[in-house]
Amino acid sequence: MIVVMKPGSQRGQIDGVIGLLREMGAQGRPIDGAQPPVIEILECNGKLDRRRLEQASMVERVVDGATPLLAVGRKAGEQTLEVPLGRRAVIGGQRLAVVAGPCSVEDEGRLLETATAVAAAGAVGLRGGAFKPRTSPYAFQGLGEDGLRALARVREKTGLAIVTEVMSPERVACVAEYADVLQVGSRNMHNSPLLRAVGEQGKPVLLKRGWSATLEEFLLAAEYILRAGNPNVILCERGIRTHEEYVRNTMALAVVPEVKRLSRLPIIVDPSHGTGRAHLVEPMSRAAIACGADGLLIEVHPSPEQAWSDGAQTLNFQQFRDMMTALRPIAAACGRSLEAGDSPPTDATDA
Ligand code: PEP
Ligand code: MN
């Protein structure tokens, strides 16, 4: 349990609450650097009089639970935060945002071809890793800054917002120079120096769930970014490791409505990494939209069988177009819409 003080509380008022806690048999400790000030209740041998605490001078509220979500939590009636995705789109509004592209940036020609195809089908963002977190040190590690430059040039030609991964605090400034949204990957969700570093810069952050992280750990990782000063975080469910072997990861879709209940942050779903199988991407995308996701992150490549990474879970252009067509009526049934793209609408409900 914690006590949240009102902004501008003075040391004397904080000490007053700690004294009051002591009278009730509890020990309070101010959390370093918290703004507004927060007092953690460490031990309680007596009975806490919550009403008395709430009435103390400058106390804002008393929050239950060991891990309060002060920054990312949703207050009653609060709308989902709308996070900018480049200059033309947002994630978290009525319109669903689809970000698509290759797992890794391989060369500018294929990147532009992919970007043009996904934009025509309705994607508003282009994904592609230039710094790749690979399991094996012998696997392709990405084109580095050359890849970022290619992404930025393709943005100029297509208008798509660029989403790309940053793996270390030292690279944050470099990636932020080119990207519209900085991705923190699954392997780095627990990397608090990186979370702070992306929190201290101004571009929105796409935070992927660690593959063994609980929902609470996921939301607390986002809390790090907001507390460092960056309000614009998009959560991304990308599957967790289980005993199951017919999929690469197990997509925990119940997280989507649960995040909607607990947090004001938007959440998108990545069924490419979430399943590891191209034929499961469309069905799980349909399910993601039906349970309230604010968008999708999808791997697309001109010829997935030749992709330098993650080919087995990657859609080709036709599969991506077919998927977008199949998603539109589901989005409409959920009161959402999808960018129409250039392909002819198949349903009267298309916006
Ligand atoms: C990716 O999106 O390219 C990626 C590496 O995903 P994850 O961090 O979810 O494994
Ligand atoms: Mn990938």
Side-chain angles (χ1 to χ4, degrees):
M1 198 182 255
I2 60 162
V3 180
V4 183
M5 303 294 291
K6 292 189 174 136
S9 299
Q10 302 300 310
R11 184 73 230 185
Q13 284 146 337
I14 295 170
D15 287 344
V17 172
I18 292 173
L20 191 55
L21 283 166
R22 205 176 303 118
E23 272 176 41
M24 296 178 190
Q27 196 191 334
R29 182 181 68 94
I31 295 178
D32 278 352
Q35 228 23 272
V38 171
I39 301 164
E40 186 183 9
I41 303 176
L42 293 172
E43 264 175 54
C44 183
N45 302 320
K47 191 171 165 1
L48 277 184
D49 183 345
R50 196 181 171 124
R51 290 259 317 252
R52 222 179 127 199
L53 265 178
E54 278 167 346
Q55 282 161 3
S57 163
M58 293 301 274
V59 167
E60 171 78 41
R61 62 198 157 113
V62 178
V63 183
D64 288 316
T67 51
L69 300 169
L70 294 182
V72 309
R74 183 186 291 264
K75 298 198 187 90
E78 198 176 3
Q79 295 286 310
T80 298
L81 178 74
E82 294 190 8
V83 175
L85 182 65
R87 268 177 254 131
R88 301 201 317 212
V90 295
I91 295 190
Q94 185 271 346
R95 194 173 276 268
L96 298 168
V98 177
V99 175
C103 177
S104 309
V105 178
E106 298 171 0
D107 67 66
E108 198 167 326
R110 270 179 291 185
L111 187 65
L112 179 59
E113 198 191 334
T114 307
T116 307
V118 298
V124 288
L126 175 66
R127 60 146 294 141
F131 294 99
K132 292 302 300 176
R134 302 306 298 281
T135 304
S136 164
Y138 307 111
F140 174 56
Q141 306 287 309
L143 298 181
E145 203 168 344
D146 284 347
L148 297 178
R149 279 190 277 268
L151 284 163
R153 282 193 291 268
V154 170
R155 169 179 47 211
E156 294 317 308
K157 292 181 182 145
T158 60
L160 290 175
I162 301 300
V163 180
T164 194
E165 179 157 357
V166 59
M167 296 200 299
S168 60
E170 316 77 78
R171 288 276 186 203
V172 166
C174 167
V175 177
E177 200 182 313
Y178 300 96
D180 294 294
V181 175
L182 274 64
Q183 177 172 320
V184 173
S186 188
R187 292 159 185 77
N188 270 316
M189 191 214 81
H190 292 285
N191 182 343
S192 48
L194 180 62
L195 298 174
R196 283 200 199 91
V198 295
E200 284 165 3
Q201 58 80 53
K203 296 272 173 81
V205 177
L206 176 74
L207 176 66
K208 299 190 89 173
R209 180 182 183 182
W211 62 36
S212 63
T214 63
L215 172 57
E216 185 175 291
E217 289 163 346
F218 188 22
L219 292 173
L220 286 170
E223 192 81 14
Y224 265 99
I225 303 172
L226 270 81
R227 287 189 55 87
N230 189 344
N232 289 317
V233 174
I234 304 150
L235 301 171
C236 179
E237 166 60 41
R238 50 78 71 208
I240 50 173
R241 278 255 169 108
T242 68
H243 61 277
E244 195 49 86
E245 287 178 344
Y246 76 98
V247 279
R248 180 179 179 190
N249 291 291
T250 298
M251 270 188 65
L253 276 186
V255 143
V256 174
E258 198 60 0
V259 161
K260 292 283 167 195
R261 189 174 72 84
L262 296 173
S263 172
R264 44 195 276 282
L265 297 180
I267 178 161
I268 68 169
V269 169
D270 171 355
S272 305
H273 294 87
T275 65
R277 309 276 181 263
H279 69 279
L280 296 177
V281 169
E282 182 193 313
M284 294 314 287
S285 295
R286 288 195 253 129
I289 290 179
C291 73
D294 295 300
L296 297 166
L297 187 68
I298 308 285
E299 287 187 336
V300 178
H301 188 281
S303 38
E305 56 293 340
Q306 283 163 21
W308 294 0
S309 53
D310 286 353
Q313 65 194 34
T314 298
L315 302 186
N316 65 30
F317 297 167
Q318 190 58 47
Q319 289 168 326
F320 182 70
R321 280 192 286 269
D322 291 347
M323 183 186 85
M324 293 295 275
T325 302
L327 294 181
R328 284 193 191 101
I330 296 169
C334 299
R336 313 290 286 264
S337 63
L338 262 180
E339 193 82 39
D342 295 340
S343 43
T346 52
D347 192 280
T349 52
D350 274 3

